[in-house]
Amino acid sequence: MKLWRRQVPASQPEPIRGLDIGLFSTVLRYSRRQQSQMIMLSLIAMPILYLTLELPKQIVNNALEAARFPIDIFGYEVDQVTFLLLLCGLYLLAILLNGLNKYALNVFKGYVAERFLRRFRLLIYRQWQKGANASDQSEIVPILAQEVEPVGGFAAEVLTLPILQGGTLLTILLFMFIQDPVLGAAALTVLPIQLVLLPKLQRRVNVLSRIRIKEVRHLGRQLSNQLRERQPSPNGLCSASASFRELERVRRRLFRLKFFIKALNNFLTALTPFLFYSLGGYFVIEGRISLGALVAVLAAHKDFSAPLKELFRYYQTLEDTKIRYQEITSFFSKTELLSDPRQHPGPPVKSVQTLAQSSDRNHHSYFAQASTLRGITYEGI
């Protein structure tokens, strides 16, 4: 016996062949080269973004002031109209380059997402086919058709979105602090509140997401058992109706909580322009900053809220995708355990009556667990 052999903890599920236990390592395993290319496109967007913020300020402060013309640019005297058209042309070029960069990045992200999704589905399908009782695994349909979709979409944003949106946020903050440090600090006033409240609310969303995934699979098992019985029964209708009601309750709570998070985030984001108008207007009256700088800061803050929302959305998507990935891998580890004759001796296929009884026991125990979780999170509807 080799004492130095690394032991796998018993609590961790065995990963699907071709997949790692961690979501990030799986994504990087199959798209490392594409991720590096998307990161380069994201970094190129930062200087272009800064130009789109700086040029409007130059237009307001310099091109519209007639007393300083004509001016000398690279040995040529330029009048006011020519200088205005030159700055506007540069601004138009910066907008065009920014749009082309985003278009190329989004198209490439879609390509990476679909490529990873196809490979992910193929690996799951092969794992499902290897099962001893693969014909009884009705849960594979929602897994392949629905649960893997967010994982594939997240694969294209796992590194690109935080780098692109985080870099955009830092670029806008740098521009604001260059104009005036007080206005730059005002943009960060509500950020700590968002960083404290939103993750706590997101954890409640995660609990409800796990309940919803398990309830959809439980409903698939019920329908599969009824199809094998080939005879409708009142008990089957009652159990299906209970599952439908539970799905409705969970989704209603998800909607309420998600839209509350969105409304809270929008309200906190809208508080910052109030500080800009009050403090910035006072600084313009006192001559501390120019009017063009205030206009540029207000325009930059409009772009500042967008990457902040995207980063919060990335956090929510990350948590949801990790839950889905863990549920998929744990489903196949449980399937392999149930199909292993060494762990469960006896015939591999149960009778219809035994399956129905087992489904009812799982049904009641699951609803007891869901009720407990609802009591922990917040009061029911």
Side-chain angles (χ1 to χ4, degrees):
M1 178 183 295
K2 296 182 178 180
L3 299 178
W4 58 86
R5 181 179 298 175
R6 184 172 62 90
Q7 300 293 332
V8 179
S11 59
Q12 291 184 351
E14 290 291 335
I16 301 173
R17 184 176 181 181
L19 299 179
D20 298 330
I21 296 178
L23 174 62
F24 279 88
S25 58
T26 299
V27 172
L28 295 179
R29 179 178 181 179
Y30 294 107
S31 61
R32 183 178 292 106
R33 182 177 179 182
Q34 290 81 7
Q35 296 290 339
S36 61
Q37 294 172 350
M38 290 189 295
I39 289 175
M40 291 299 300
L41 287 175
S42 301
L43 294 178
I44 291 175
M46 299 305 108
I48 301 176
L49 173 64
Y50 193 88
L51 286 177
T52 61
L53 299 174
E54 179 66 24
L55 288 173
K57 171 192 168 183
Q58 297 297 328
I59 292 174
V60 174
N61 287 343
N62 297 326
L64 301 182
E65 186 179 349
R68 58 191 305 267
F69 288 95
I71 60 174
D72 182 76
I73 300 179
F74 299 112
Y76 296 93
E77 286 191 355
V78 178
D79 58 6
Q80 185 178 9
V81 176
T82 304
F83 185 68
L84 174 64
L85 294 178
L86 178 62
L87 290 181
C88 291
L90 291 176
Y91 181 63
L92 180 62
L93 179 62
I95 293 176
L96 180 61
L97 291 177
N98 191 30
L100 290 176
N101 181 270
K102 289 183 177 180
Y103 173 77
L105 184 59
N106 289 331
V107 171
F108 195 36
K109 283 166 58 177
Y111 163 76
V112 174
E114 292 302 321
R115 185 171 180 266
F116 178 82
L117 184 59
R118 173 180 58 83
R119 180 168 294 177
F120 189 42
R121 278 176 169 154
L122 182 60
L123 292 173
I124 294 176
Y125 180 76
R126 288 176 178 174
Q127 185 74 16
W128 172 71
Q129 275 194 327
K130 293 193 311 180
N133 56 345
S135 60
D136 296 333
Q137 299 176 12
S138 58
E139 296 91 340
I140 192 64
V141 177
I143 290 177
L144 284 177
Q146 183 181 7
E147 294 183 22
V148 300
E149 285 281 350
V151 180
F154 181 76
E157 298 182 342
V158 62
L159 294 179
T160 306
L161 193 145
I163 292 177
L164 176 61
Q165 302 301 333
T168 301
L169 196 65
L170 293 177
T171 302
I172 296 175
L173 281 176
L174 176 64
F175 177 78
M176 290 180 177
F177 273 101
I178 290 177
Q179 309 312 311
D180 189 86
V182 177
L183 294 181
L188 300 176
T189 303
V190 299
L191 187 59
I193 303 176
Q194 293 172 313
L195 294 178
V196 171
L197 289 180
L198 296 182
K200 291 183 178 180
L201 296 174
Q202 182 60 36
R203 283 193 288 270
R204 296 185 177 183
V205 175
N206 296 342
V207 173
L208 294 174
S209 298
R210 288 184 183 274
I211 296 176
R212 181 176 60 85
I213 292 173
K214 292 180 180 179
E215 187 60 33
V216 170
R217 293 183 184 177
H218 177 72
L219 178 62
R221 287 195 299 270
Q222 286 183 335
L223 297 179
S224 178
N225 293 336
Q226 293 180 22
L227 288 175
R228 283 197 294 269
E229 292 175 1
R230 297 182 180 180
Q231 290 182 357
S233 62
N235 293 332
L237 179 61
C238 292
S239 60
S241 178
S243 295
F244 295 154
R245 284 196 302 269
E246 183 64 21
L247 278 174
E248 180 186 1
R249 291 169 185 166
V250 172
R251 291 185 66 85
R252 284 173 61 188
R253 293 180 179 181
L254 275 172
F255 288 147
R256 290 176 59 186
L257 193 54
K258 285 185 177 180
F259 284 117
F260 175 75
I261 294 175
K262 183 177 181 181
L264 179 62
N265 186 32
N266 291 337
F267 173 74
L268 293 176
T269 304
L271 289 178
T272 309
F274 166 76
L275 299 176
F276 284 162
Y277 284 118
S278 56
L279 293 177
Y282 175 76
F283 290 159
V284 171
I285 294 175
E286 293 293 325
R288 180 171 174 176
I289 61 174
S290 63
L291 179 61
L294 178 60
V295 172
V297 168
L298 289 172
H301 179 262
K302 185 182 68 173
D303 298 331
F304 175 81
S305 60
L308 190 60
K309 290 180 180 179
E310 287 296 321
L311 289 175
F312 283 121
R313 184 185 68 83
Y314 173 82
Y315 173 73
Q316 294 175 337
T317 306
L318 170 63
E319 295 298 320
D320 181 71
T321 308
K322 287 170 63 177
I323 290 174
R324 292 177 182 272
Y325 187 83
Q326 292 171 2
E327 290 294 329
I328 291 173
T329 54
S330 62
F331 166 76
F332 282 101
S333 64
K334 294 176 183 178
T335 301
E336 291 178 356
L337 183 62
L338 291 175
S339 61
D340 191 354
R342 296 172 298 179
Q343 299 289 339
H344 296 273
V349 180
K350 297 181 180 180
S351 63
V352 174
Q353 183 178 2
T354 307
L355 284 171
Q357 294 175 355
S358 175
S359 177
D360 290 338
R361 288 194 300 268
N362 293 334
H363 174 77
H364 293 301
S365 64
Y366 175 71
F367 275 105
Q369 181 183 5
S371 301
T372 304
L373 288 175
R374 289 197 302 272
I376 293 175
T377 54
Y378 49 88
E379 297 181 358
I381 297 175

